[in-house]
Amino acid sequence: RASATNRHANASHQEVRAQIAEMERWQAVCLNQLKHGRISQADYEREWDEAQAAISKGRERLNDHTDVDQLLALLTDLARAIRLMTPLKRKTSLSLLLEFIEVDDDGVLCAAVPRSWAMEAFYLIAAATSPDLGRVGLEPTR
């Protein structure tokens, strides 16, 4: 979870960090203009408040890991739901998700290929949780 959260934050929050830095620079410029009498106290306070609101909103976005949390929760819920199913229901549900399942003679899962509609979701889950998996579901794992 921590690894997925860090990757998500690093990739999607660079723009937010830049916007926060820009608003902080703008606040400094406004203060400098106020000190030199170029803007009124009312204008300074209005500009500062608007910039501070944008900074606060940006900081909230930086601390929001909802996308990763939701993705990992869905994966956990799916695994839990499958474990709780009866064998027939489990087989039926998995056949709706997976195009191909390969099990060896010992009952060990060797390969699972998602149906085309589910492939994108599996790629998102794999990228968020384990970026080094490679081509998930496309080749046997032996």
Side-chain angles (χ1 to χ4, degrees), residues 71-138:
L71 185 61
L72 295 176
L74 289 173
L75 180 60
T76 301
D77 290 346
L78 176 63
R80 183 181 307 123
I82 289 172
R83 280 193 303 272
L84 294 174
M85 292 177 186
T86 63
L88 180 58
K89 184 68 173 173
R90 185 180 306 140
K91 182 177 179 180
T92 303
S93 297
L94 287 174
S95 71
L96 294 173
L97 265 176
L98 303 170
E99 185 75 38
F100 173 78
I101 300 172
E102 182 181 339
V103 180
D104 68 12
D105 292 336
D106 297 324
V108 175
L109 180 67
C110 298
V113 179
R115 293 193 179 273
S116 59
W117 65 267
M119 185 64 81
E120 184 64 29
F122 282 112
Y123 277 131
L124 291 173
I125 290 167
T129 58
S130 302
D132 300 325
L133 280 178
R135 299 177 63 207
V136 175
L138 299 178

Side-chain angles (χ1 to χ4, degrees), residues 6-127:
N6 287 338
R7 276 194 307 282
H8 172 73
N10 289 338
S12 65
H13 292 162
Q14 289 177 354
E15 184 177 324
V16 175
R17 287 187 192 99
Q19 290 170 349
I20 289 171
E22 180 64 29
M23 289 295 105
E24 289 171 340
R25 282 191 293 275
W26 179 244
Q27 284 179 325
V29 167
C30 288
L31 179 60
N32 190 35
Q33 289 180 344
L34 176 67
K35 286 179 181 177
H36 290 91
R38 294 184 187 128
I39 61 172
S40 68
Q41 181 72 30
D43 287 340
Y44 167 75
E45 288 176 5
R46 181 180 44 79
E47 291 291 331
W48 192 91
D49 288 343
E50 288 176 8
Q52 191 61 41
I55 290 169
S56 296
K57 187 175 180 180
R59 287 187 178 144
E60 286 176 21
R61 286 182 60 197
L62 289 178
N63 292 324
D64 181 21
H65 303 300
T66 305
D67 294 344
V68 173
D69 292 337
Q70 287 176 344
L71 185 61
L72 295 176
L74 289 173
L75 180 60
T76 301
D77 290 346
L78 176 63
R80 183 181 307 123
I82 289 172
R83 280 193 303 272
L84 294 174
M85 292 177 186
T86 63
L88 180 58
K89 184 68 173 173
R90 185 180 306 140
K91 182 177 179 180
T92 303
S93 297
L94 287 174
S95 71
L96 294 173
L97 265 176
L98 303 170
E99 185 75 38
F100 173 78
I101 300 172
E102 182 181 339
V103 180
D104 68 12
D105 292 336
D106 297 324
V108 175
L109 180 67
C110 298
V113 179
R115 293 193 179 273
S116 59
W117 65 267
M119 185 64 81
E120 184 64 29
F122 282 112
Y123 277 131
L124 291 173
I125 290 167

